[in-house]
Amino acid sequence: MDLGTVDDILLPSTRTDLPPGRADTAVLAGGTWLFSEKQDHLRTLVDVTALGWEPLSVTEAGLEIAATCTIETLARFDSQWPATELFPRCAAALLASFKIWKTATVGGNIALSLPAGAMISLTAALDGVGQVWSASGPDHDYRLAIDELITGPHANALAPGDVLRSIMIPRHALEARTAMRKLALSPLGRSAAVVIGRVDADGQFVLTVSASTVRPFVLRFPALPTATELGDALDESIGPQHWYDDPHGAPDWRRHISCAAAQQIREELS
């Protein structure tokens, strides 16, 4: 869709070229959501792909994913790390064509902050930490775990003008054994629940519930919990107000399928 109210598209070559945050200005990366509906409040777009960030960088600490990395690039990442098998599976959970994969970005999916954001599910499940460029300048840059960055449906901790620069996935999470369940009202429907579990080398069990909840919830156990321990932890961590309600699933149904998926994952990883 054409955005008829936009008067200017900025192509920053360095961070200093980024404009101050304003309500009529939006960051543009893939633009797959931005151009999908009217944005009559916008006058300026800032195309951060012009900054030329390396999509994926392997370091001693793990894997750094640039916010402008496309879904396709991440899904096709070739690595011996066991947890990378989640990359194409989460990409497929987006309910998007291969054409969208070539354009949509990891950072855009996270910053959009929708419950069904599959890159949110992926990065939260792997202890992803977002590196944010603050609009107030480099001295105010900050890092925030993805499950803390997302605060609700279409809501996050980014202040106006802040730019999500990258997401760091630590090596210990990439080396973990994982299991995933994606559930929806129809085989190709929007995710009603995405539940991901992992077991780290030290035996820690981590379960992430998303899509069925208003924001991602990460539950941690020092070792594989019993079925009762897991069920109790889900009830204690995710209150009735946290289960998402929309045409793709009622809260009680989302809770039921998420808890059932969690128990299946516990058994698979035992």
Side-chain angles (χ1 to χ4, degrees), residues 203-223:
Q204 178 183 201
F205 177 75
V206 181
L207 185 86
T208 301
V209 180
S210 59
S212 57
T213 50
V214 295
R215 60 175 179 82
F217 283 82
V218 181
L219 284 66
R220 301 179 186 276
F221 305 83

Side-chain angles (χ1 to χ4, degrees), residues 94 164 185:
L94 280 170
L164 179 61
L185 285 171

Side-chain angles (χ1 to χ4, degrees), residues 57 142 175 222 251 257 263 269:
S57 301
Y142 57 96
E175 294 174 342
I257 61 173
Q263 295 293 353
L269 292 177

Side-chain angles (χ1 to χ4, degrees), residues 98-124:
F98 70 92
K99 297 177 182 178
I100 298 297
W101 279 27
K102 291 180 179 295
T103 305
T105 61
V106 176
N109 187 256
I110 293 172
L112 188 56
S113 306
L114 295 177
M119 295 298 100
I120 296 173
S121 302
L122 172 65
T123 54

Side-chain angles (χ1 to χ4, degrees), residues 148-266:
E148 297 176 358
L149 180 67
I150 309 303
T151 57
H154 228 315
N156 56 55
L158 297 173
D162 286 0
V163 174
L164 179 61
R165 167 62 181 87
S166 64
I167 304 93
M168 187 67 193
I169 306 296
R171 184 176 291 267
H172 74 266
L174 293 165
E175 294 174 342
R177 293 189 296 118
T178 61
M180 172 181 168
R181 297 291 187 276
K182 183 263 188 187
L183 304 104
L185 285 171
S186 62
L188 296 178
R190 178 180 295 181
S191 299
V194 175
V195 184
I196 300 175
R198 76 168 207 264
V199 175
D200 293 346
D202 63 1
Q204 178 183 201
F205 177 75
V206 181
L207 185 86
T208 301
V209 180
S210 59
S212 57
T213 50
V214 295
R215 60 175 179 82
F217 283 82
V218 181
L219 284 66
R220 301 179 186 276
F221 305 83
L224 194 75
T226 65
T228 299
E229 290 171 339
L230 180 57
D232 290 345
L234 286 165
D235 288 339
E236 292 172 5
S237 301
I238 309 175
Q241 73 277 19
H242 296 136
W243 297 104
Y244 195 47
D245 185 9
D246 75 351
H248 299 281
D252 57 347
W253 177 71
R254 289 179 188 264
R255 176 187 177 279
H256 173 75
I257 61 173
S258 297
C259 292
Q263 295 293 353
Q264 292 173 8
I265 286 172
R266 187 194 71 85

